[in-house]
Amino acid sequence: MALSFDDSPTDGTAQVLAILKAHKVKATFFIVGAHAAARPDLLRQIVHEGHAIGNHSHCHEHTLPMRSAATILADIRQCSHTIQDIAGVTPHMYRPPFGVVNPAIARAVADSGLPCVGWSLRSFDTATPRPERLLSRIVRRLKPGAIILLHDYPAVTPQILPALLQEIERRNLSCVLLSPEILQS
Ligand SMILES: [Zn+2]
Protein backbone atom coordinates (compact mmCIF):
# COMPACT_ATOMS: atom_id res chain seq x y z
CA MET A 1 0.00 0.00 0.00
CA ALA A 2 1.03 3.63 -0.26
CA LEU A 3 0.49 6.88 1.60
CA SER A 4 0.22 10.01 -0.50
CA PHE A 5 0.02 13.66 0.57
CA ASP A 6 -1.27 16.29 -1.86
CA ASP A 7 -0.64 20.06 -2.07
CA SER A 8 2.67 19.95 -0.17
CA PRO A 9 4.74 21.64 1.08
CA THR A 10 2.52 23.46 3.56
CA ASP A 11 2.70 24.67 7.15
CA GLY A 12 1.79 21.13 8.22
CA THR A 13 4.55 19.35 6.31
CA ALA A 14 7.21 19.43 9.05
CA GLN A 15 4.91 17.80 11.59
CA VAL A 16 3.91 15.04 9.17
CA LEU A 17 7.56 14.43 8.25
CA ALA A 18 8.45 14.07 11.94
CA ILE A 19 5.69 11.47 12.47
CA LEU A 20 6.70 9.50 9.36
CA LYS A 21 10.31 9.55 10.52
CA ALA A 22 9.42 8.34 14.02
CA HIS A 23 7.55 5.38 12.46
CA LYS A 24 10.22 4.80 9.77
CA VAL A 25 7.59 5.09 7.02
CA LYS A 26 8.07 6.64 3.59
CA ALA A 27 5.33 8.40 1.65
CA THR A 28 4.78 10.11 -1.68
CA PHE A 29 4.22 13.88 -1.69
CA PHE A 30 2.46 15.49 -4.65
CA ILE A 31 4.03 18.92 -4.82
CA VAL A 32 2.38 22.19 -5.83
CA GLY A 33 5.11 24.25 -7.52
CA ALA A 34 3.97 27.56 -6.04
CA HIS A 35 3.94 26.03 -2.54
CA ALA A 36 7.46 24.70 -3.06
CA ALA A 37 8.66 28.13 -4.18
CA ALA A 38 7.24 29.58 -0.96
CA ARG A 39 8.73 26.84 1.29
CA PRO A 40 11.84 25.55 -0.51
CA ASP A 41 13.47 24.16 2.65
CA LEU A 42 10.49 21.89 3.26
CA LEU A 43 10.65 20.48 -0.28
CA ARG A 44 14.35 19.78 0.21
CA GLN A 45 13.55 18.08 3.53
CA ILE A 46 10.90 15.85 1.90
CA VAL A 47 13.42 14.72 -0.72
CA HIS A 48 16.32 14.46 1.74
CA GLU A 49 14.31 12.18 4.07
CA GLY A 50 13.75 9.68 1.28
CA HIS A 51 10.13 10.31 0.35
CA ALA A 52 8.97 10.22 -3.27
CA ILE A 53 7.58 13.26 -5.02
CA GLY A 54 5.12 13.85 -7.83
CA ASN A 55 3.97 16.88 -9.79
CA HIS A 56 0.61 18.27 -8.62
CA SER A 57 0.53 21.40 -10.86
CA HIS A 58 2.21 24.74 -10.30
CA CYS A 59 -0.78 26.93 -9.48
CA HIS A 60 -3.48 24.45 -8.29
CA GLU A 61 -6.16 26.99 -9.23
CA HIS A 62 -9.80 25.95 -9.41
CA THR A 63 -9.89 27.35 -12.95
CA LEU A 64 -7.07 25.10 -14.16
CA PRO A 65 -9.45 22.43 -15.56
CA MET A 66 -11.03 25.15 -17.74
CA ARG A 67 -7.73 26.09 -19.39
CA SER A 68 -6.36 24.98 -22.76
CA ALA A 69 -4.11 21.95 -23.04
CA ALA A 70 -1.18 24.27 -23.83
CA THR A 71 -1.72 26.31 -20.66
CA ILE A 72 -2.09 23.18 -18.53
CA LEU A 73 1.08 21.71 -20.05
CA ALA A 74 2.97 24.95 -19.30
CA ASP A 75 1.73 24.75 -15.70
CA ILE A 76 2.92 21.12 -15.38
CA ARG A 77 6.34 22.08 -16.76
CA GLN A 78 6.61 25.10 -14.47
CA CYS A 79 6.01 22.86 -11.47
CA SER A 80 8.65 20.35 -12.60
CA HIS A 81 11.20 23.13 -13.24
CA THR A 82 10.53 24.66 -9.82
CA ILE A 83 11.05 21.28 -8.11
CA GLN A 84 14.22 20.68 -10.12
CA ASP A 85 15.60 24.15 -9.28
CA ILE A 86 14.91 23.81 -5.56
CA ALA A 87 15.61 20.15 -4.84
CA GLY A 88 17.61 18.91 -7.84
CA VAL A 89 15.16 16.12 -8.61
CA THR A 90 12.59 15.67 -11.37
CA PRO A 91 9.09 14.35 -10.67
CA HIS A 92 8.13 11.31 -12.76
CA MET A 93 4.38 11.29 -12.03
CA TYR A 94 1.49 13.74 -12.20
CA ARG A 95 -1.63 13.91 -10.06
CA PRO A 96 -4.12 16.45 -11.43
CA PRO A 97 -5.52 19.01 -8.97
CA PHE A 98 -8.93 17.98 -7.60
CA GLY A 99 -8.49 14.62 -9.37
CA VAL A 100 -10.14 16.14 -12.43
CA VAL A 101 -9.20 14.81 -15.85
CA ASN A 102 -10.91 16.28 -18.92
CA PRO A 103 -9.79 16.08 -22.57
CA ALA A 104 -7.52 19.15 -22.30
CA ILE A 105 -5.88 17.84 -19.12
CA ALA A 106 -5.53 14.35 -20.62
CA ARG A 107 -3.77 15.84 -23.66
CA ALA A 108 -1.48 18.03 -21.55
CA VAL A 109 -0.55 15.10 -19.31
CA ALA A 110 0.14 12.89 -22.34
CA ASP A 111 2.34 15.61 -23.83
CA SER A 112 4.19 16.00 -20.53
CA GLY A 113 5.19 12.33 -20.65
CA LEU A 114 4.27 11.92 -16.97
CA PRO A 115 1.95 9.08 -16.00
CA CYS A 116 -1.20 10.20 -14.20
CA VAL A 117 -1.50 8.85 -10.65
CA GLY A 118 -4.78 8.73 -8.76
CA TRP A 119 -5.71 7.10 -5.46
CA SER A 120 -7.97 4.26 -4.31
CA LEU A 121 -8.81 5.50 -0.81
CA ARG A 122 -9.86 9.12 -0.46
CA SER A 123 -9.64 10.09 3.21
CA PHE A 124 -11.59 13.39 2.98
CA ASP A 125 -9.17 14.69 5.63
CA THR A 126 -9.74 18.27 4.42
CA ALA A 127 -13.44 17.97 5.29
CA THR A 128 -13.40 15.72 8.37
CA PRO A 129 -12.31 17.67 11.46
CA ARG A 130 -13.20 14.86 13.88
CA PRO A 131 -10.13 12.60 14.26
CA GLU A 132 -12.00 9.43 15.30
CA ARG A 133 -14.31 9.73 12.29
CA LEU A 134 -11.44 10.25 9.86
CA LEU A 135 -9.38 7.41 11.31
CA SER A 136 -12.25 4.91 11.22
CA ARG A 137 -13.13 5.85 7.63
CA ILE A 138 -9.56 5.11 6.52
CA VAL A 139 -9.02 2.01 8.66
CA ARG A 140 -12.31 0.47 7.49
CA ARG A 141 -11.14 0.55 3.88
CA LEU A 142 -7.47 -0.21 4.46
CA LYS A 143 -6.21 -3.17 2.41
CA PRO A 144 -3.18 -4.36 0.45
CA GLY A 145 -2.67 -2.24 -2.66
CA ALA A 146 -4.53 0.79 -1.27
CA ILE A 147 -3.27 4.22 -2.27
CA ILE A 148 -4.45 6.60 0.45
CA LEU A 149 -5.05 10.26 -0.38
CA LEU A 150 -4.15 12.58 2.50
CA HIS A 151 -3.04 16.20 2.89
CA ASP A 152 -0.47 17.50 5.34
CA TYR A 153 -2.18 20.83 6.14
CA PRO A 154 -5.43 19.90 7.93
CA ALA A 155 -4.95 19.94 11.71
CA VAL A 156 -6.63 16.55 11.92
CA THR A 157 -4.13 14.68 9.73
CA PRO A 158 -1.18 14.65 12.17
CA GLN A 159 -3.67 13.85 14.93
CA ILE A 160 -4.63 10.53 13.32
CA LEU A 161 -1.39 9.68 11.55
CA PRO A 162 0.37 7.90 14.44
CA ALA A 163 -2.68 5.66 15.04
CA LEU A 164 -3.02 4.99 11.31
CA LEU A 165 0.65 4.01 11.06
CA GLN A 166 0.25 1.71 14.08
CA GLU A 167 -2.72 0.02 12.43
CA ILE A 168 -0.78 -0.40 9.18
CA GLU A 169 2.06 -1.97 11.17
CA ARG A 170 -0.32 -4.20 13.13
CA ARG A 171 -1.70 -5.58 9.86
CA ASN A 172 1.79 -6.18 8.51
CA LEU A 173 1.15 -3.90 5.54
CA SER A 174 4.18 -2.13 4.16
CA CYS A 175 4.12 1.36 2.70
CA VAL A 176 5.83 1.61 -0.67
CA LEU A 177 6.80 4.71 -2.60
CA LEU A 178 4.69 5.41 -5.67
CA SER A 179 6.58 5.29 -8.95
CA PRO A 180 5.69 4.74 -12.62
CA GLU A 181 7.15 1.20 -12.29
CA ILE A 182 5.12 0.23 -9.25
CA LEU A 183 1.92 1.54 -10.82
CA GLN A 184 2.41 -0.74 -13.82
CA SER A 185 3.02 -3.82 -11.72
ZN1 LIG B 1 -4.55 19.14 -4.58
Side-chain angles (χ1 to χ4, degrees), residues 124-132 134 153-161:
F124 292 98
D125 56 348
T126 58
T128 313
R130 280 180 50 213
E132 59 280 8
L134 176 61
Y153 64 85
V156 70
T157 307
Q159 290 172 22
I160 62 120
L161 195 53

Side-chain angles (χ1 to χ4, degrees), residues 18-72:
I19 295 167
L20 293 173
K21 193 180 213 171
H23 289 260
K24 298 188 175 66
V25 168
K26 306 289 186 208
T28 302
F29 289 79
F30 286 89
I31 304 296
V32 171
H35 294 177
R39 300 171 184 82
D41 287 344
L42 283 172
L43 174 60
R44 282 189 282 265
Q45 190 183 345
I46 290 168
V47 172
H48 180 75
E49 295 187 356
H51 304 288
I53 52 151
N55 182 321
H56 189 46
S57 83
H58 191 78
C59 72
H60 205 287
E61 282 167 2
H62 281 88
T63 52
L64 195 65
M66 274 85 89
R67 306 282 184 199
S68 68
T71 301
I72 296 164

Side-chain angles (χ1 to χ4, degrees), residues 12-152:
T13 302
Q15 199 183 354
V16 162
L17 286 174
I19 295 167
L20 293 173
K21 193 180 213 171
H23 289 260
K24 298 188 175 66
V25 168
K26 306 289 186 208
T28 302
F29 289 79
F30 286 89
I31 304 296
V32 171
H35 294 177
R39 300 171 184 82
D41 287 344
L42 283 172
L43 174 60
R44 282 189 282 265
Q45 190 183 345
I46 290 168
V47 172
H48 180 75
E49 295 187 356
H51 304 288
I53 52 151
N55 182 321
H56 189 46
S57 83
H58 191 78
C59 72
H60 205 287
E61 282 167 2
H62 281 88
T63 52
L64 195 65
M66 274 85 89
R67 306 282 184 199
S68 68
T71 301
I72 296 164
L73 179 60
D75 176 86
I76 294 171
R77 289 189 171 145
Q78 192 182 355
C79 175
S80 287
H81 288 151
T82 301
I83 291 171
Q84 177 68 43
D85 283 349
I86 293 170
V89 292
T90 306
H92 297 293
M93 306 169 284
Y94 181 69
R95 178 176 279 171
F98 322 110
V100 172
V101 179
N102 61 28
I105 294 172
R107 200 160 99 225
V109 173
D111 289 348
S112 78
L114 300 175
C116 218
V117 181
W119 56 80
S120 67
L121 200 170
R122 187 174 185 182
S123 68
F124 292 98
D125 56 348
T126 58
T128 313
R130 280 180 50 213
E132 59 280 8
R133 197 162 158 230
L134 176 61
L135 183 63
S136 76
R137 176 185 298 130
I138 301 172
V139 164
R140 238 180 10 243
R141 295 159 60 204
L142 196 59
K143 61 180 181 190
I147 300 176
I148 305 179
L149 169 61
L150 294 156
H151 299 79
D152 59 21

